[in-house]
Amino acid sequence: MTRKNLPDVVSSDEWRVALDQLLIKEKELTRARDALSAERRKLPMVKVTKQYTLEGEHGKTALIDLFEGRRQLIVYHFMFAPDWDAGCGGCSWVIDAMTHPAHLHARDTSLVLVSRAPREKLEQYRSRMGWTTSLPWYSSYDSDFNFDFGATTDKGERHGVSVFIRDGNDIYRSYYSGARGVEYLGSLWTYLDLTPFGRQETWEDSPEGWPQTEPYAWIRRHDEYDV
């Protein structure tokens, strides 16, 4: 790539001034995000009255058991239909970037994956991806869970995240987001956003000639990249 396709080259002093100006905007965004998070925490909740049975590593289990005794539960709706041979590549990308759950456990919060594929397929795919110490993964194959919480519709599978909180044995759903809302979970996007080329996708406001592809078209499972 030629020099004309790169940002301007300036002195250290000029770079520092430009950086400081950008950091002011970043701080404003941080405060705005903090305010949005506060608003999210105050959202009204809906009580979960239906009984759901999912299948985990130790067999059939109820929704409340996914909390593992903790007060809060985050469910990542991982796209994996019963007739698929592999889980969603984009969802796999998100899981690769997820944190060790111990840090969430320290804040009384459990994080699990739920997919509609049967347990056998989930375990086969987990083995392929090398997620040997990864998050608990439950199958909702024999349950209405995916349908009731918007992860499976008449148009197919959808990725997303649902948040639950319990008060004793009562369970409440407090939050849901899908589409680009799950980027909040995948820190790899955050890393790329720090670089000059960014995510290198066509929607980004980048100079002409910078490398770009259609959104998400470049994402692969980590064992499928030719690099």
Side-chain angles (χ1 to χ4, degrees):
M1 180 168 292
T2 61
R3 174 70 67 186
K4 67 180 181 180
N5 296 124
L6 294 174
D8 293 337
V9 177
V10 297
S11 69
S12 295
D13 289 342
E14 291 173 306
W15 174 81
R16 185 74 243 182
V17 170
L19 176 63
D20 288 344
Q21 291 175 345
L22 180 65
L23 290 178
I24 291 174
K25 295 180 179 179
E26 286 192 351
K27 292 297 184 182
E28 292 174 350
L29 178 60
T30 297
R31 288 191 287 271
R33 186 167 53 241
D34 289 344
L36 181 62
S37 294
E39 189 173 347
R40 184 188 300 114
R41 290 193 296 272
K42 298 172 185 176
L43 275 174
M45 305 182 297
V46 59
K47 187 173 184 180
V48 179
T49 58
K50 192 171 182 178
Q51 299 297 315
Y52 297 98
T53 300
L54 300 94
E55 186 174 4
E57 181 181 357
H58 303 296
K60 302 290 185 181
T61 186
L63 177 60
I64 196 169
D65 296 323
L66 274 58
F67 285 80
E68 295 183 329
R70 302 181 183 93
R71 290 291 307 279
Q72 301 184 126
L73 171 67
I74 301 171
V75 172
Y76 181 75
H77 300 287
F78 190 112
M79 291 171 57
F80 198 159
D83 58 344
W84 293 4
D85 294 325
C88 165
C91 291
S92 301
W93 208 76
V94 172
I95 304 309
D96 279 340
M98 280 188 174
T99 182
H100 193 290
H103 306 295
L104 297 175
H105 296 172
R107 283 311 197 200
D108 211 12
T109 302
S110 292
L111 172 61
V112 305
L113 316 177
V114 175
S115 302
R116 214 158 51 90
R119 275 287 304 171
E120 296 76 17
K121 285 192 172 184
L122 302 186
E123 287 307 310
Q124 290 170 2
Y125 190 64
R126 183 201 293 273
S127 178
R128 170 187 165 180
M129 292 289 99
W131 297 332
T132 54
T133 59
S134 190
L135 304 165
W137 200 352
Y138 295 88
S139 169
S140 60
Y141 181 72
D142 292 323
S143 169
D144 293 331
F145 184 86
N146 267 47
F147 299 95
D148 291 349
F149 292 104
T152 302
T153 70
D154 55 1
K155 296 182 179 179
E157 302 300 301
R158 298 173 59 189
H159 67 271
V161 58
S162 289
V163 180
F164 302 89
I165 188 169
R166 70 178 183 89
D167 183 18
N169 291 325
D170 293 330
I171 300 174
Y172 303 87
R173 192 188 195 193
S174 64
Y175 179 71
Y176 171 82
S177 186
R180 289 191 62 190
V182 305
E183 291 179 2
Y184 202 67
L185 311 176
S187 61
L188 296 176
W189 281 295
T190 306
Y191 283 118
L192 289 174
D193 285 342
L194 298 176
T195 67
F197 290 157
R199 305 184 192 190
Q200 303 171 44
E201 295 183 340
T202 52
W203 63 270
E204 291 176 295
D205 182 9
S206 296
E208 184 178 354
W210 283 27
Q212 288 188 325
T213 64
E214 291 297 317
Y216 304 117
W218 61 278
I219 292 177
R220 303 286 185 271
R221 300 171 184 88
H222 63 239
D223 62 352
E224 294 177 341
Y225 287 108
D226 186 20
V227 292

